[in-house]
Amino acid sequence: MNKKIIGIAIFVAIIAAALIYQFTGSGSSPKEILLNGLIGGEKKGFLEDEDVKSILKEKYGVVIDYSKAGSIEMVKGNTQGRDFLWPSSQVALEIFKTTKAKHLVKSGLIFNSPIVLYSWSIVTDALIKAGIVKKVAASYFVVDFPKLINLVMEGKKWSDIGLTDLYGKISIISTDPNKSNSGNMFAGLLANILYGDVVDESSVEKYLPKLKTFFSHLGYMESSSGNLFEQYLTTGVGAKPIIVGYESQAIEFSIQNEELWPKVKDRIRILYPVPTVWSAHPLIVLNPKANILIKALQDKEIQKIAWEKHGFRTGLIGVDNDPKLLKVVGIPERIKKVIPMPKAQVMEKIMQALQN
């Protein structure tokens, strides 16, 4: 009788252990992995998200210690002691492969975000009257980008398009192309627009002087896309009539500033250049222990948070991004008119010209 009871007890214990394993895995949390890296400033809010931090730690054991840096700066600078880099463009990855290939362990695409222009209602209305911007449904598109660029290159004033309250010449303010990705991508897009197609190493030469003229008129340029977007919001239309940024920035701002957003949403305008360029966000692994970070950041739950709370479009095939889930009006479901960025060697030429 005692043997029978003991046998039943053992059987029950085995079943209980199996159930515990089924629902909790091995019954213990993953071993903690502390990873140190550099990230583009536009991803700071995402990595500070408590839901993201929780999933990374509880599901993958990953804890991230990061510092902000411009995408171009990070791939060209000192990477000693870093486990990963997370720039904001494929061009940055290609530059890294060209200059520091031996340090590359692995790379993977995490997010995408189109380059956009941020402006204000009064500026956008003037650009619509000038035939440069067109409103389609709730979205605004820069349908005559060459015309806008020509206004800048010709030194036209805001008053020439009816904006007598704005001082000075028409400009499109970007970050420093030699330090920050949004400025770098805008320089590549600008070269393509001037040429009328994707520039190569020979065709770009003709347009380098024009690019130098365009950016020299901007004066001091921020080294971080996040800093420029903050300046745009805090200094307003007088100081920052049009800036270059990422689509994700307005989406994230609307979530993180729920009280302020209703006060500014009717004045802010997101303008989609036609064509625009995609800003990819590849993760560059420098230490094998950081390989897990690619898998973790591609987790579907994390990708969902990235879109709905931070505005990053997914880098995964088969995952949709529904604009109806966002607070921001005018985000198109798909970005259809896109031109490729120039190759990394061409961008190096552009950066060198702008630096000099």
Side-chain angles (χ1 to χ4, degrees):
M1 186 71 175
N2 287 340
K3 288 182 179 180
K4 186 176 181 181
I5 293 173
I6 291 171
I8 293 172
I10 291 172
F11 177 75
V12 171
I14 291 171
I15 295 298
L19 288 171
I20 290 171
Y21 186 85
Q22 179 180 349
F23 288 104
T24 66
S26 63
S28 61
S29 299
K31 183 180 177 181
E32 185 173 302
I33 307 169
L34 179 62
L35 300 176
N36 180 283
L38 295 173
I39 69 162
E42 71 287 336
K43 293 184 282 284
K44 179 183 175 183
F46 167 77
L47 287 179
E48 290 297 319
D49 189 307
E50 291 300 326
D51 291 333
V52 171
K53 289 162 76 171
S54 176
I55 295 170
L56 288 175
K57 186 172 183 179
E58 293 176 12
K59 207 168 177 180
Y60 300 94
V62 170
V63 176
I64 295 178
D65 178 26
Y66 68 86
S67 299
K68 289 195 308 179
S71 293
I72 305 304
E73 278 185 311
M74 74 172 73
V75 297
K76 287 189 167 187
N78 183 9
T79 59
Q80 187 173 0
R82 305 294 185 182
D83 299 312
F84 70 91
L85 305 175
W86 197 4
S88 308
S89 79
Q90 195 69 22
V91 170
L93 172 59
E94 294 306 316
I95 290 173
F96 189 83
K97 286 180 178 179
T98 302
T99 58
K100 300 180 180 180
K102 65 180 182 179
H103 298 295
L104 177 62
V105 174
K106 188 178 181 181
S107 66
L109 179 62
I110 309 300
F111 302 140
N112 283 306
S113 190
I115 290 293
V116 301
L117 304 181
Y118 283 103
S119 190
W120 303 90
S121 55
I122 62 167
V123 177
T124 303
D125 290 346
L127 293 176
I128 289 173
K129 288 179 182 178
I132 293 170
V133 170
K134 183 178 181 181
K135 187 176 182 182
V136 181
S139 303
Y140 294 89
F141 296 93
V142 185
V143 292
D144 197 342
F145 205 10
K147 185 175 180 180
L148 177 57
I149 299 303
N150 286 335
L151 289 177
V152 176
M153 301 294 286
E154 292 168 5
K156 297 294 185 181
K157 296 180 180 181
W158 292 110
S159 58
D160 292 329
I161 60 170
L163 292 170
T164 54
D165 289 340
L166 296 186
Y167 174 78
K169 296 178 181 178
I170 298 171
S171 64
I172 303 171
I173 301 167
S174 82
T175 53
D176 189 332
N178 276 291
K179 295 180 180 179
S180 167
N181 177 66
S182 61
N184 186 267
M185 297 202 73
F186 183 64
L189 176 60
L190 185 56
N192 287 346
I193 294 297
L194 291 172
Y195 177 55
D197 201 350
V198 182
V199 289
D200 56 26
E201 288 187 80
S202 59
S203 60
V204 75
E205 294 288 346
K206 177 181 176 181
Y207 300 98
L208 293 179
K210 289 186 177 181
L211 291 173
K212 289 177 70 173
T213 299
F214 185 96
F215 283 96
S216 66
H217 287 164
L218 296 182
Y220 171 77
M221 290 179 282
E222 292 282 352
S223 60
S224 163
S225 307
N227 290 348
L228 179 58
F229 187 69
E230 288 177 13
Q231 287 290 314
Y232 159 75
L233 292 171
T234 55
T235 59
V237 65
K240 301 286 188 291
I242 305 176
I243 70 161
V244 179
Y246 301 107
E247 176 191 59
S248 58
Q249 290 174 291
I251 298 170
E252 183 178 68
F253 180 82
S254 71
I255 299 294
Q256 295 186 348
N257 300 270
E258 291 187 356
E259 291 185 6
L260 182 57
W261 179 247
K263 299 176 183 178
V264 299
K265 68 176 183 177
D266 292 333
R267 292 185 289 124
I268 288 176
R269 293 289 183 268
I270 307 173
L271 311 180
Y272 291 84
V274 178
T276 187
V277 286
W278 278 111
S279 174
H281 295 257
L283 190 84
I284 300 173
V285 175
L286 307 177
N287 186 330
K289 75 173 185 176
N291 281 335
I292 185 66
L293 188 55
I294 293 179
K295 180 181 178 182
L297 291 172
Q298 289 178 340
D299 183 288
K300 287 189 176 181
E301 193 175 354
I302 282 184
Q303 291 278 319
K304 186 174 185 291
I305 294 170
W307 171 243
E308 294 179 11
K309 295 176 67 177
H310 303 278
F312 292 109
R313 293 178 186 254
T314 183
L316 304 180
I317 296 173
V319 179
D320 294 325
N321 301 123
D322 186 358
K324 297 185 186 71
L325 300 173
L326 307 174
K327 292 178 179 292
V328 181
V329 175
I331 303 294
E333 186 174 352
R334 290 181 177 82
I335 308 298
K336 297 177 180 178
K337 296 186 178 180
V338 179
I339 190 169
M341 278 289 289
K343 291 181 179 179
Q345 299 94 317
V346 180
M347 290 308 303
E348 287 276 21
K349 273 193 172 186
I350 291 173
M351 286 186 284
Q352 187 174 7
L354 297 180
Q355 195 167 35
N356 294 336

